[in-house]
Amino acid sequence: MNSSRTGLRRAALVVLSAALVATAAGTAQAHPGKAGPAKGHHDDKGHHHGKGHPKPAASLRDLADRRHVLIGTAVDTTALAEDSAYRATTAREFSSVTAENVMKWEVVEPERGRYDFSAADELVRFARAHGQQVRGHTLLWHNQLPAWLTEGVADGSIDAKELRKILREHITAEVTHFKGRIYQWDVVNEVFEEDGSLRDSIWLQQLGPSYIADAFRWAHKADPKAKLFMNDYNVEGVNAKSTAYYELAKKLRAQGVPVQGMGVQAHLDIQYGFPTDLAANLARFDRLGLQTAITEADVRMFTPSDPAKLARQASDYRGLLAACLATKGCASFTVWGFTDKYSWVPGTFEGEGEANILDADFRHKPAYAALREELAKRH
Ligand code: G3I
């Protein structure tokens, strides 16, 4: 029933061959750091050569490809343009990329009807050059909306009828622009409150709950092949919020609305317990016939880190990946950035950070090793 992983197998093979071409062309190198004792040396592809270590070190994407899962990262496109180590690591380690910001509404439609896809197009070009797939993020959210839209709704110059038209035009324009180049779209992002009621956003206030089905239908019409996702945080375990998504997905699918995936963001914090029922939660969406994905994984802590905190962080990353690998329809595992050099966390959670798998100097942290080990396991 759920053929997403099988379907991805073919795509993954295409990605791998393209990656090999890209690597052979010398586009993916600049070793980002290493885990373990410093013996031998790494060549410019990150492959380790030295006494007793003849085996080249496989990248995350090499290992993920063997497991028929895509390993992704959110990409800060400014860093991608300006930081060569960031660029090389993005190319070397990942088979999927997500725009951290540049596919969001305020960036792509800064004025009504005037679209600017330039930054996102750059990322799509980069992905194509490096044999990577692209996750689309995001078509409808309550954050990072342009001022013309929020102010228009607030001052009454945009009424409900007009807002619905604006939403339809935005979704149609963006999905059409990227048609055929996005494998999963986060169509609606963060539409539920923690208690499982629909979020009190301008969308709900103005349009009522039907905006969700509309968004999926419009996106599907514009690109029938892209897999269309709901996406949220705090939905790792089985709880009121994830159950609301489950019930909504069930209802929409019964109505023939093209909802095809559930995205679990997975912004974790080591001060809280690991959501041990993640695999059980993913499995229930699997049984509904939906793809699942870990879409924004990171694991923050109060800084500075110490070995115990980093070990706990590694264990959390490992647990997230293991749950995805154990779920047939979990088609991609994406980290929300890979280096502590660029992260949204310190700007949002005071005193916290170091949430990523490489440190600010691109050195591998225990979490990186944990992901590699988990991907390398025989299954
Ligand atoms: O682009 C402007 C720039 O022109 C300006 O000079 C600068 C000054 O602050 O701000 C820049 O915008 C920032 C933008 O990131 C791009 O860097 C915003 O202030 C900043 O708030 C914004 O943060 C993003 C955040 O979403 C917004 O809510 C983070 O980078 C991004 O990682 C984060 O991603 C979200 C996902 O989309 C959804 N799930 C949660 C996740 C983490 O919050």
Side-chain angles (χ1 to χ4, degrees), residues 184-185 187 216 219-220 223 226-230 258-262:
Q184 295 174 344
W185 262 116
V187 175
F216 278 97
H220 183 67
D223 186 352
K227 295 290 177 207
L228 304 183
F229 275 62
M230 313 179 291
V259 178
Q260 293 136 349
M262 176 61 195

Side-chain angles (χ1 to χ4, degrees), residues 100-101 104 137 141 143-144 189-190 265 267 296 336 344:
E100 184 174 0
N101 285 297
K104 293 173 181 171
H137 177 82
W141 196 20
N143 267 337
Q144 289 176 286
N189 194 42
E190 304 174 4
Q265 294 184 5
H267 293 292
E296 306 185 11
W336 204 243
W344 67 287

Side-chain angles (χ1 to χ4, degrees), residues 40 47 99 107 157 159 165 168 192 205 209 237 243 266 281 301 312:
H47 293 165
V107 178
S157 59
D159 65 11
K165 182 165 178 269
R168 189 183 68 233
F192 280 105
Q205 288 161 9
T243 298
N281 188 35
M301 60 183 69
R312 167 61 198 273

